[in-house]
Amino acid sequence: MTSEPEFLTETRAFYDAVAVEYTDMFGGLMASSPMDRAVLALFAELVRAERPDGKVAELGCGSGRVTGHLHGLGLDVSGVDLSPGMIELARRDHPQVPFRVGSLFDLPYGDGELTGALAWYSIIHTPAERLPPVFTEFARVLAPGGHLVLAFQVGDEPSRQDRPFGHPVSLDFRRLRPERVEELLREAGLRVTSRTVREASTGEKTPQAYLLARKPAA
């Protein structure tokens, strides 16, 4: 039996430990994030234009704040996350949305099942050399013509979070270069259609990137 990569074990343990405090701190962030809302509204419109009844999934959904927002925009959305603790809170706070425990490396969706997929700051714990199989998996679950949106911090050096909220856990938050992410998406068969980078706002240390990509139509 193949053992799980250490970074996945660390990520699960980190978010299981901080699930309650993290949700309390960031649960209402959408109300003060106009750029996030604009990108998500555009994503929702693109998905509906492709297929009005298409399925959407947030890949790495945490406690479901973005998943719930997409549900409020009228999308048929579900969420998957590595952390059982986060999924428990997502189900509590968004009972109208289905959530499952799962990994970005082995998503619980069939080939071409999704019209839209969202990875909102969820690729930032994956080492750079392990991103290609993640993006290949994203491409697998997207239908031809389907849309993907990624959000992540811009930069080169990771930020190490040690003992958040006093819990005995730590984790690297990896920053990425949009041009490199675009290259990896292209290698996975996904074409970037929009690139937005905004400056850091209050409480942030680096610029933030949003990439929209599409799987070519059959």
Side-chain angles (χ1 to χ4, degrees):
M1 182 177 180
T2 303
S3 61
E4 178 180 80
E6 185 177 0
F7 74 90
L8 287 180
T9 304
E10 289 181 348
T11 301
R12 182 187 298 107
F14 182 93
Y15 281 105
D16 278 348
V18 305
V20 173
E21 293 95 338
Y22 184 95
T23 301
D24 289 344
M25 178 173 286
F26 297 109
L29 188 61
M30 194 66 67
S32 59
S33 304
M35 180 69 79
D36 288 5
R37 296 197 306 272
V39 172
L40 293 173
L42 172 60
F43 171 70
E45 185 171 339
L46 291 171
V47 168
R48 282 193 294 266
E50 182 64 31
R51 182 172 177 177
D53 62 346
K55 293 182 179 180
V56 174
E58 185 180 5
L59 313 176
C61 63
S63 57
R65 67 178 184 89
V66 176
T67 328
H69 182 79
L70 292 175
H71 180 269
L73 294 178
L75 295 180
D76 180 5
V77 63
S78 63
V80 58
D81 196 86
L82 187 65
S83 163
M86 285 291 194
I87 289 296
E88 182 180 352
L89 293 176
R91 290 169 174 164
R92 180 199 70 183
D93 293 343
H94 308 281
Q96 70 279 29
V97 177
F99 292 98
R100 287 181 276 188
V101 175
S103 168
L104 299 184
F105 291 86
D106 185 20
L107 294 170
Y109 301 101
D111 295 355
E113 182 176 346
L114 303 177
T115 306
L118 177 91
W120 203 255
Y121 295 94
S122 60
I123 62 172
I124 62 174
H125 306 303
T126 301
E129 69 273 12
R130 302 298 294 268
L131 284 175
V134 169
F135 292 159
T136 297
E137 184 70 349
F138 289 0
R140 179 188 68 80
V141 299
L142 277 175
H147 296 274
L148 171 72
V149 61
L150 304 178
F152 53 90
Q153 297 96 343
V154 176
D156 299 299
E157 297 300 322
S159 171
R160 184 76 173 176
Q161 299 294 319
D162 289 308
R163 298 188 64 84
F165 308 108
H167 294 290
V169 292
S170 60
L171 190 65
D172 284 330
F173 286 64
R174 293 174 169 86
R175 295 159 181 161
L176 302 161
R177 289 291 170 185
E179 56 271 20
R180 177 56 178 159
V181 175
E182 180 174 353
E183 180 182 359
L184 293 176
L185 289 171
R186 185 169 59 249
E187 291 172 359
L190 300 169
R191 181 175 62 85
V192 170
T193 57
S194 176
R195 312 157 194 83
T196 302
V197 176
R198 66 166 175 81
E199 292 304 309
S201 61
T202 303
E204 296 174 340
K205 297 180 179 179
T206 65
Q208 312 289 303
Y210 308 87
L211 297 187
L212 281 161
R214 191 180 189 205
K215 185 173 181 177

